[in-house]
Amino acid sequence: MTEPWDDRAFLRGTQYKTDANLAARQSIYAFQHPPVDLPARVLHLAAPAASDTIADIGCGNGRYLAELARRGFPGRVLGADLSPGMLQAARDHLNAAAASRAAFAAGAVAAASLAAAASAVRSPSLASVALISADAAALPLRDSAADITLASHMLYHVPEPADALGELRRVTHPGGRVIIVLNGAAHLCQLRAALAAARGQDPATLAERFTLDDGESLARSFFPRVTRHDFPAELRIPDPAPIADYIRSMPGTHQHADPAPLIEAVLSALTEAPGAHRTITTHAGCLIAELN
């Protein structure tokens, strides 16, 4: 049994029907050492200009879109995802980010000079963020539509990553950048090994379908310049609950009527380090692919 990460019907209708499974997996990174705020780090490397148009392809529940809103990015932004449930979650996160920024601006008006307050309230309206349902391998966008195109943890969800990468290049303006985020082969290796053993599977069936190394090799065949940035870290998890939630969110777990024995077996296999926490390797990375 392999994880159906590239099964579009499963992704749209089950795994990502809402963002509950994705949110469960995202929440485990609260225990990361050193902390890696991936959207902030990636957008810093992307270095968008105020006049840029940004397309976030495979936007999921909108973490990068919300980060752009929090930063007050004034350019045009598009979020695209295969799943309507993900787009609704992205809309909710954008609304929360906008409300947070509005509250900050209101505080600035009350506490600062008019000039400082005016500076604080400059932020994009939600009207400047478009959300569309789209297949990354056949984007409904014109050529050269974006200055910066994001593809964060998305390429392993398409049957043929080369098809999606060709589309990302097509919709990006000459002189623009395609930003690809993927995991390294060792990402969550301890958790994957424990889960495979508990299921009685070959660990290879739970390996990253398309790794950072794979992405770099493919990107270099499409783009004249590719710069790689690695973010190695580890999870130090003192409580079993986040690990249990992560396991429940995995596609293969859904086939268990009672996942409790599976979860207990995985937790038992993860050795507790001194200080009573379980340590799990993380390794994400970012590729900056530049167009001539």
Side-chain angles (χ1 to χ4, degrees), residues 174-188:
R177 297 177 297 288
V178 174
I179 315 298
I180 300 163
V181 183
L182 288 164
N183 294 325
H187 184 68
L188 304 183

Side-chain angles (χ1 to χ4, degrees), residues 162-183:
D163 293 344
L165 205 56
E167 279 291 87
L168 297 173
R169 182 182 62 181
R170 178 185 68 79
V171 304
T172 305
H173 195 276
R177 297 177 297 288
V178 174
I179 315 298
I180 300 163
V181 183
L182 288 164
N183 294 325

Side-chain angles (χ1 to χ4, degrees), residues 13-60:
T14 303
Q15 179 64 200
Y16 295 139
K17 186 175 182 179
T18 71
D19 80 328
N21 290 322
L22 179 59
R25 291 196 290 278
Q26 289 170 338
S27 66
I28 205 170
Y29 296 99
F31 302 94
Q32 198 169 41
H33 295 266
V36 179
D37 185 339
L38 205 53
R41 189 82 68 91
V42 169
L43 289 173
H44 173 75
L45 292 169
S51 60
D52 281 348
T53 294
I54 298 178
D56 184 357
I57 308 302
C59 66

Side-chain angles (χ1 to χ4, degrees), residues 1 3 7 10 40 72 100 110 117 160 185 196 237 243 247 249 276:
M1 178 179 63
E3 303 291 292
D7 183 330
F10 172 79
S100 175
E160 296 295 338
I237 307 175
I243 300 174
I247 296 167
S249 78

Side-chain angles (χ1 to χ4, degrees), residues 181-287:
V181 183
L182 288 164
N183 294 325
H187 184 68
L188 304 183
C189 57
Q190 297 92 342
L191 178 57
R192 293 174 190 276
L195 185 55
R199 289 181 180 176
Q201 293 177 248
D202 182 340
T205 62
L206 291 179
E208 291 283 335
R209 179 175 176 266
F210 192 75
T211 69
L212 182 61
D213 289 342
D214 297 330
E216 181 180 12
S217 178
L218 186 61
R220 291 191 185 281
S221 72
F222 275 83
F223 302 96
R225 289 179 301 281
V226 177
T227 306
R228 173 169 167 166
H229 303 268
D230 288 75
F231 313 125
E234 65 181 20
L235 304 177
R236 299 175 187 170
I237 307 175
D239 187 314
I243 300 174
D245 289 343
Y246 193 103
I247 296 167
R248 289 190 191 94
S249 78
M250 298 293 288
T253 307
H254 296 168
Q255 301 179 21
H256 293 257
D258 179 9
L262 174 70
I263 292 169
E264 185 58 37
V266 172
L267 291 171
S268 296
L270 290 171
T271 304
E272 289 192 29
H277 63 258
R278 292 173 173 87
T279 300
I280 299 171
T281 298
T282 67
H283 182 186
C286 174
L287 304 170

Side-chain angles (χ1 to χ4, degrees), residues 42-212:
V42 169
L43 289 173
H44 173 75
L45 292 169
S51 60
D52 281 348
T53 294
I54 298 178
D56 184 357
I57 308 302
C59 66
N61 57 6
R63 293 180 66 211
Y64 288 79
L65 301 176
E67 178 65 21
L68 287 167
R70 281 191 290 269
R71 290 173 176 225
F73 176 68
R76 293 184 298 174
V77 179
L78 169 73
D81 201 275
L82 189 66
S83 165
M86 287 292 100
L87 293 173
Q88 181 57 55
R91 188 173 292 109
D92 293 343
H93 286 165
L94 277 168
N95 284 329
S100 175
R101 190 163 177 82
F104 172 80
V109 170
S113 67
L114 288 178
S119 175
V121 298
R122 280 199 297 268
S123 64
S125 67
L126 290 179
S128 67
V129 181
L131 296 174
I132 63 169
S133 179
D135 183 340
L139 293 170
L141 303 176
R142 61 175 174 79
D143 293 356
S144 306
D147 300 289
I148 294 176
T149 306
L150 297 173
S152 177
H153 290 110
M154 178 274 285
L155 286 177
Y156 50 72
H157 283 319
V158 295
E160 296 295 338
D163 293 344
L165 205 56
E167 279 291 87
L168 297 173
R169 182 182 62 181
R170 178 185 68 79
V171 304
T172 305
H173 195 276
R177 297 177 297 288
V178 174
I179 315 298
I180 300 163
V181 183
L182 288 164
N183 294 325
H187 184 68
L188 304 183
C189 57
Q190 297 92 342
L191 178 57
R192 293 174 190 276
L195 185 55
R199 289 181 180 176
Q201 293 177 248
D202 182 340
T205 62
L206 291 179
E208 291 283 335
R209 179 175 176 266
F210 192 75
T211 69
L212 182 61

